[in-house]
Amino acid sequence: MLHQYLCAPKLPNLPIVGAKPGEWFPLLRAQWRNTLDMQTAAEIAYKEHRNRACIFPIAGGQNFVHLPREELQWLIIDSLQLDYTVTDPRLAHDPAHISIIAGLLTREIGNVFPEMLDEAQHSIDNIWGKDMHHFKEICVYDSVRRIVGQTTNRIFIGLPFCRNQDFIDTAMDFAADIPFASTLLHMIWRPLRPLAAPFITLPNRIHTNRFVRFLRPEIRRRLKEYDARRTDPEKKAVIEKNDFLQWSINQAKSLKDPYFSKVDTLAGRILIINFMAIHAAAFAMTHAVLDIAASKVEYVHELPEEITSVLAEHGGQWNKRTLAAISKLDSTMRESARLNSAVITATNRMVIDPKGITTPSGVHMPKGTMVSTPSFPVFHDPLLYPDPDMFKPFRFAEKRAISAEKGGSYIQGARQAWATTSPEYTAFGHGRHACPGRFFASSALKLGLAHMILNYDFDIRDKRPDNTWFSTNRVPPMEATIRIKRREAKC
């Protein structure tokens, strides 16, 4: 941290959040004050510097130049230390999988919907159980991350891997390794990180090797089949699997670089997207379940009524259109993500232009300066969200309904959908760097939540367990439990 203080790029002359007038070493002192109470620091930054830039110091992190929300649209960083936390850093530096996530995966949601639905239902029924006579106490996060792991891997790699518990456990362990190891590495002086990284990232390498061993035989088989289909006309009629692994193989074969067609490269890409999917999606689902289990009884009754009604309108068939029509369920997920926003800042970027950059408001920042915009305090701004600290699951559905009543277009209504981003709603980021898999993730999570709501009774509790701050991140209560019981009439 002393190295960061002495060797950091020169910061613009801006107010420092957490510093006191006239004190020595204001940045160092502000770093510790802000880190000890991150929520209060973020709220002060937003309240006192809402319309201007300020410096937001964080211990073990960076001294961010915090821009006002209005400059988010104008607004690259390796915050996860991927050069150390993944065994093959090229997977991060040449992320060919991103184009598949943003393109093919999103376009194929409708075609993979039956498999996604089947796995969501199978995993929930198996993990939550089918006891219709007694309430069962479950750990929400532990059960949800297994459900998310199985459902997403049904689309990533297919059967039988998505139901192999050792395989899913390895993917989940790796998903936990990266943020923990990266946080520790951030606390170490940069020149010493190559020496410390082999020890800190030992669990990462163990779980990576274990995961790759699971997939090598399957990838070799598919690569062999791919080559056979291109050389033998009779095998061209064989239908390829429609999953992420197969899309990755097809893409790799179309690229000139043989690196992308290596077995371990392809396995590594499946591991990387597991981290991207499981970590954030499990948090989002955990938050939603805990919010519903501590909400008003009428909300718990209204959600299954809407799902049942929309299903009936679509002939009792789940598909992409059915899911899109369940606006209150979508609103519930969007509201839960707003109320439980995972990070203090919406967008973290590093100035890479050698000449530096100047913001629209005239603040000049030299190369190497870390830049961010507010997230948590925006989500709790009463001017944007009335009663911001209250869970109102139908907040966004009501906005949709009002827009429709006034003759608003479909696009205007879609702005209130969970996966839609804006400077005021950054649960998935915003702009060019918004989460590329948000449409797939939102579909998978809403399917799972719909099955839970339709088929299980929740023992409503008086108070929701509090979230926990971990540096600049906020995580759900990992050990929180709820009581659930299978409903007698299965929908």
Side-chain angles (χ1 to χ4, degrees):
M1 185 168 55
L2 182 60
H3 171 78
Q4 291 175 355
Y5 183 78
L6 296 175
C7 302
K10 185 177 180 180
L11 294 168
N13 185 21
L14 295 170
I16 301 172
V17 177
K20 296 180 179 180
E23 70 179 354
W24 288 17
F25 306 112
L27 282 173
L28 280 174
R29 294 188 177 189
Q31 284 181 350
W32 285 110
R33 291 190 188 113
N34 295 342
T35 303
L36 290 172
D37 191 350
M38 194 61 67
Q39 178 176 339
T40 299
E43 291 171 345
I44 291 173
Y46 189 66
K47 181 179 180 180
E48 297 184 358
H49 312 289
R50 178 192 298 264
N51 298 315
R52 62 174 180 171
C54 61
I55 297 174
F56 196 150
I58 301 169
Q62 299 283 346
N63 297 317
F64 288 93
V65 173
H66 211 45
L67 300 180
R69 170 172 55 86
E70 291 76 10
E71 295 185 357
L72 174 59
Q73 291 278 34
W74 167 83
L75 217 186
I76 275 180
I77 180 175
D78 187 7
S79 63
L80 295 174
Q81 294 289 297
L82 297 179
D83 281 336
Y84 304 113
T85 56
V86 297
T87 57
D88 181 2
R90 189 175 172 184
L91 291 169
H93 292 289
D94 291 329
H97 50 276
I98 297 297
S99 62
I100 299 179
I101 296 171
L104 194 55
L105 177 61
T106 300
R107 294 196 302 271
E108 286 292 312
I109 290 175
N111 291 328
V112 301
F113 207 92
E115 289 80 9
M116 192 159 55
L117 173 64
D118 177 64
E119 201 58 41
Q121 293 176 341
H122 175 273
S123 59
I124 293 169
D125 292 349
N126 183 53
I127 294 170
W128 278 24
K130 297 183 179 181
D131 188 344
M132 296 181 293
H133 304 292
H134 305 92
F135 274 96
K136 172 185 179 181
E137 188 165 11
I138 61 164
C139 176
V140 179
Y141 175 71
D142 185 61
S143 65
V144 159
R145 69 174 184 151
R146 294 179 185 278
I147 292 166
V148 169
Q150 287 190 215
T151 304
T152 54
N153 275 286
R154 177 70 178 267
I155 310 305
F156 293 164
I157 186 67
L159 292 167
F161 294 94
C162 64
R163 296 182 185 177
N164 182 321
Q165 199 55 59
D166 290 338
F167 176 80
I168 297 298
D169 285 344
T170 302
M172 292 191 301
D173 288 340
F174 179 80
D177 291 339
I178 287 186
F180 180 74
S182 64
T183 300
L184 293 180
L185 286 167
H186 270 299
M187 303 294 289
I188 296 173
W189 184 28
R190 187 179 295 273
L192 295 181
R193 288 177 191 171
L195 299 176
F199 302 97
I200 293 174
T201 64
L202 180 60
N204 306 50
R205 298 197 302 280
I206 292 173
H207 295 134
T208 296
N209 292 335
R210 188 180 300 164
F211 187 91
V212 170
R213 285 199 301 271
F214 273 113
L215 289 187
R216 277 176 182 146
E218 175 69 9
I219 294 174
R220 289 186 180 118
R221 183 184 66 80
R222 293 205 197 185
L223 287 170
K224 185 176 180 180
E225 289 180 352
Y226 179 96
D227 293 336
R229 283 193 295 270
R230 269 62 185 172
T231 57
D232 189 342
E234 294 184 0
K235 293 184 178 180
K236 287 185 177 180
V238 177
I239 299 176
E240 292 181 339
K241 284 197 172 185
N242 193 34
D243 58 27
F244 198 94
L245 174 58
Q246 192 61 51
W247 305 333
S248 297
I249 290 173
N250 294 345
Q251 181 201 55
K253 289 292 188 176
S254 70
L255 299 174
K256 295 180 180 180
D257 191 339
Y259 163 80
F260 293 103
S261 296
K262 290 182 178 180
V263 171
D264 285 11
T265 300
L266 290 164
R269 289 170 68 179
I270 300 297
L271 181 58
I272 288 292
I273 63 167
N274 262 276
F275 163 70
M276 296 166 66
I278 292 176
H279 193 68
F283 281 4
M285 179 72 92
T286 299
H287 284 308
V289 171
L290 290 174
D291 286 336
I292 292 171
S295 64
K296 296 179 181 179
V297 174
E298 54 264 36
Y299 294 152
V300 179
H301 291 161
E302 199 166 340
L303 281 168
E305 289 174 2
E306 182 203 35
I307 298 169
T308 302
S309 174
V310 172
L311 266 175
E313 293 172 4
H314 290 78
Q317 297 296 314
W318 278 108
N319 52 51
K320 190 176 177 180
R321 289 189 298 275
T322 305
L323 192 63
I326 307 176
S327 61
K328 290 180 180 177
L329 178 70
D330 182 272
S331 178
T332 299
M333 293 298 298
R334 184 175 172 91
E335 170 71 352
S336 179
R338 178 201 69 82
L339 189 62
N340 302 288
S341 56
V343 293
I344 286 286
T345 55
T347 306
N348 300 329
R349 298 289 180 261
M350 177 183 286
V351 176
I352 58 175
D353 190 324
K355 298 179 181 179
I357 58 173
T358 301
T359 71
S361 57
V363 176
H364 181 78
M365 294 172 290
K367 179 182 178 181
T369 303
M370 299 301 302
V371 189
S372 66
T373 56
S375 174
F376 174 85
V378 173
F379 279 142
H380 293 262
D381 186 341
L383 298 178
L384 299 173
Y385 303 100
D387 300 318
D389 298 325
M390 184 180 296
F391 177 61
K392 293 184 173 182
F394 308 145
R395 181 191 300 269
F396 300 100
E398 290 167 357
K399 288 184 178 181
R400 276 191 179 191
I402 293 172
S403 176
E405 289 173 2
K406 293 181 178 179
S409 65
Y410 170 81
I411 293 177
Q412 289 175 318
R415 288 173 182 163
Q416 304 301 325
W418 183 26
T420 303
T421 71
S422 72
E424 295 75 37
Y425 193 88
T426 55
F428 290 105
H430 181 56
R432 190 161 55 93
H433 297 286
C435 172
R438 63 190 184 277
F439 299 103
F440 167 73
S442 63
S443 297
L445 295 184
K446 286 190 293 183
L447 265 182
L449 187 61
H451 186 71
M452 293 172 181
I453 291 170
L454 282 176
N455 294 281
Y456 291 87
D457 288 321
F458 291 69
D459 187 12
I460 303 301
R461 58 198 309 166
D462 296 331
K463 186 180 183 297
R464 182 199 190 278
D466 293 332
N467 297 320
T468 302
W469 284 100
F470 183 67
S471 185
T472 59
N473 302 310
R474 190 167 57 152
V475 299
M478 303 292 195
E479 298 180 358
T481 62
I482 62 170
R483 283 161 42 86
I484 51 101
K485 182 179 69 173
R486 182 79 176 199
R487 288 183 178 167
E488 294 187 12
K490 182 180 178 181
C491 299

